Amino acid sequence: MTSSPLLTLRVARKAFGGTVVLQDIGFALHERQTVALLGPSGCGKSTLLRIAAGLDRDFDGAVERAPALAGRPGSVAIVFQEPRLMPWLTVAENVGFLDGKRADRARIARLLEEVGLADWGEALPKQLSGGMAQRVAIARGLYTRPRVLLLDEPFSAVDAFTRMKLQDLALEVSARHEIALLVVTHDIDEALYLSDRILVMGARPGRIHDTLDVAVPHPRERTDMRLAASRVDVLKTLHDVRAF
Amino acid sequence: MTSGVPGKRPGSKRPGKEGAASARPSGPAQGAATPASPAQPGRARLRARLRGLLLPAAVVATLEGVVRAGIVPSHLMPAPSELLLTFEYLAHGPLWKHIGASALRVACGFALGTLLALLVGALVGLSRRAEDFLEPTFQALRAIPSLAWVPLLLMWLGIDETSKITLIAIGAFFPVYMNLVAGIRNVDRKLVEVGDMYGFSAARRAGRILLPAARPYLFTGLRNGLSMSWLCVVAAELLAATQGIGYLLTDGREVSRPDLVLAAIITLALLGKTSDTLLKALEKRALRWRDTFAGREA
């Protein structure tokens, strides 16, 4: 973690109209690190992710990207809460969406295999289940060879079992492709299972109340008692910030 | 505080690589029935077709009876069987020439109107500035019934083909234009953001996301525009023409032959229906990806 960060975020103030949604936030994302933004609905964590992605530029502060990320489209990829596939394109065309007709077919096939959808390249999005569509979205994110993958509550719309499989998939691909993950979530277990560092956020205005390092090496077991112990800390913090 | 310890969970081992859908077929069912468009088996489809024929058949039978019984004078309303004879006569004579003339005018006018609508519609749909400049004018023009242009067109362009095709183009323009603009403006912002994420230029965003996504609206516009084209061709031909279905209509009236008029009307119905069916087939092909409500039985 001594290397210079891939992504550094400083948000002094972000407001929608008169309402301040984010205040005095700063954190960095390092290479091969997984950071979770954990907090209740309305704490501005998705807004923070959109700022990190460069989709929202209307705020006081700055997003600094490492030179390795600057300038190349897709070096920071995002997987949204919904799959957001183009319904008129096949699964394979969606994965290679950045390049359109000139997409690298071999790479698309490899990625589809990686996310467990090897036979589905010619299918249309309407033929997919929610979990499968989200896998396609992950493959699309990976297609651009990102160094940073931003995940905006990516697994909140699928059932608990699919969610666990997708979490494993996210960890797998981030390890294999050496991608740093920034995950927005309101699921404490998800944050604990995925991340090296949890930023606990409170609402109105959204700010980071606590930073918690999860010192359990990967691969982790969901039953690990160390995670259970950390869970207590997280719950205490969330209680302190009146998240519930 | 300790109640939520995840230790009780059934252990899940990494890596889990099964597909998200546990019951998964050997591959995607290409072109197979999807929930949105159930492929009707042959018999059910036939029955659906027959249902559609029921009403016209009843009307024809009633007319035949009513005219034969003398309840309606046959010089005003020829019996369907008589109409058939008229059709036979026309089919051996001038009918094809009339159909050809009208169809050619519709094809030219519709193509011209559609082309212009695509250009202006895309511009207004994609650019808010273009919208500011153009939209009020086009809204005002749209409020003018297209037939109101007829006198001007006749004065400016004469009574030959140019004025007719222009009228049809005006008629076809607005439905296509309106629907294309609405289609572009109704594209899900979430899809547009995917392009933003890739740093798409405005042109790329339009070509890769906005225009493809607007196609369902566009096809609605095209079909409306086509029916407007048929309306306008008849109007144009009613006024000044020596051939075309509209001319057949006037001719029938001038020689007091309701059978000619009815034959022309039926021909128009068939032409309109045929061209719409073609467009609909094209639409179905182009919008195969759509996941929408297809109507229910009963």
Side-chain angles (χ1 to χ4, degrees), chain A residues 139-191:
Chain A
R140 178 177 64 188
L142 294 175
Y143 178 83
T144 60
R145 300 180 197 276
R147 300 285 300 281
V148 176
L149 191 59
L150 308 171
L151 303 159
D152 184 8
E153 297 187 23
F155 315 131
S156 61
V158 295
D159 65 88
F161 300 101
T162 306
R163 186 178 312 147
M164 287 194 264
K165 285 180 187 164
L166 289 174
Q167 287 163 357
D168 288 331
L169 178 67
L171 287 175
E172 253 173 71
V173 299
S174 81
R176 188 174 312 135
H177 300 275
E178 301 183 358
I179 299 170
L181 300 180
L182 180 60
V183 189
V184 160
T185 183
H186 52 233
D187 179 340
I188 301 170
D189 293 320
E190 180 165 273

Side-chain angles (χ1 to χ4, degrees), chain B residues 53 114 132 141 237:
Chain B
L53 285 176
T114 299
D132 292 344
L141 289 173
E237 290 172 349

Side-chain angles (χ1 to χ4, degrees), chain B residues 24 83 89 167 194 207 221 289 297:
Chain B
R24 125 180 175 191
L83 265 181
Y89 150 74
L167 180 67
V194 174
W289 48 271
E297 201 63 13

Side-chain angles (χ1 to χ4, degrees), chain A:
Chain A
M1 300 302 156
T2 48
S3 63
S4 64
L6 286 171
L7 210 60
T8 313
L9 246 90
R10 281 184 293 104
V11 180
R13 188 173 176 276
K14 163 73 188 173
F16 287 121
T19 319
V20 179
V21 289
L22 294 172
Q23 199 161 35
D24 298 328
I25 287 181
F27 69 90
L29 182 68
H30 291 264
E31 205 147 334
R32 304 180 73 168
Q33 189 187 26
T34 298
V35 172
L37 291 166
L38 177 69
S41 312
C43 73
K45 54 193 192 300
S46 286
T47 308
L48 191 55
L49 195 82
R50 292 172 58 80
I51 288 174
L55 290 172
D56 193 331
R57 296 176 199 279
D58 181 25
F59 65 100
D60 297 332
V63 180
E64 281 161 32
R65 294 184 173 194
L69 304 182
R72 185 168 67 90
S75 62
V76 176
I78 186 164
V79 175
F80 297 96
Q81 191 170 357
E82 329 78 18
R84 300 200 186 181
L85 305 177
M86 305 296 147
W88 59 90
L89 297 177
T90 64
V91 164
E93 287 166 338
N94 266 294
V95 173
F97 184 66
L98 175 68
D99 290 340
K101 294 239 186 300
R102 289 169 289 116
D104 180 347
R105 283 166 198 281
R107 178 167 173 76
I108 292 171
R110 262 201 315 281
L111 288 171
L112 281 176
E113 199 178 332
E114 221 174 288
V115 299
L117 293 172
D119 301 330
W120 291 84
E122 294 308 308
L124 287 167
K126 69 175 179 182
Q127 293 167 292
L128 306 179
S129 70
M132 292 159 82
Q134 203 56 300
R135 282 165 186 268
V136 177
I138 291 171
R140 178 177 64 188
L142 294 175
Y143 178 83
T144 60
R145 300 180 197 276
R147 300 285 300 281
V148 176
L149 191 59
L150 308 171
L151 303 159
D152 184 8
E153 297 187 23
F155 315 131
S156 61
V158 295
D159 65 88
F161 300 101
T162 306
R163 186 178 312 147
M164 287 194 264
K165 285 180 187 164
L166 289 174
Q167 287 163 357
D168 288 331
L169 178 67
L171 287 175
E172 253 173 71
V173 299
S174 81
R176 188 174 312 135
H177 300 275
E178 301 183 358
I179 299 170
L181 300 180
L182 180 60
V183 189
V184 160
T185 183
H186 52 233
D187 179 340
I188 301 170
D189 293 320
E190 180 165 273
L192 286 166
Y193 183 60
L194 293 181
S195 51
D196 305 311
R197 172 170 283 183
I198 299 176
L199 308 176
V200 182
M201 292 183 68
R204 271 169 232 107
R207 55 173 104 208
I208 296 171
H209 283 269
D210 201 5
T211 301
L212 195 116
D213 285 314
V214 187
V216 183
H218 287 284
R220 292 174 182 168
E221 289 292 331
R222 289 179 195 274
T223 49
D224 196 313
M225 286 315 288
R226 286 172 291 178
L227 294 183
S230 298
R231 192 173 201 277
V232 175
D233 294 338
V234 174
L235 274 171
K236 276 181 182 155
T237 310
L238 285 170
H239 187 262
D240 291 345
V241 304
R242 295 196 202 94
F244 56 91

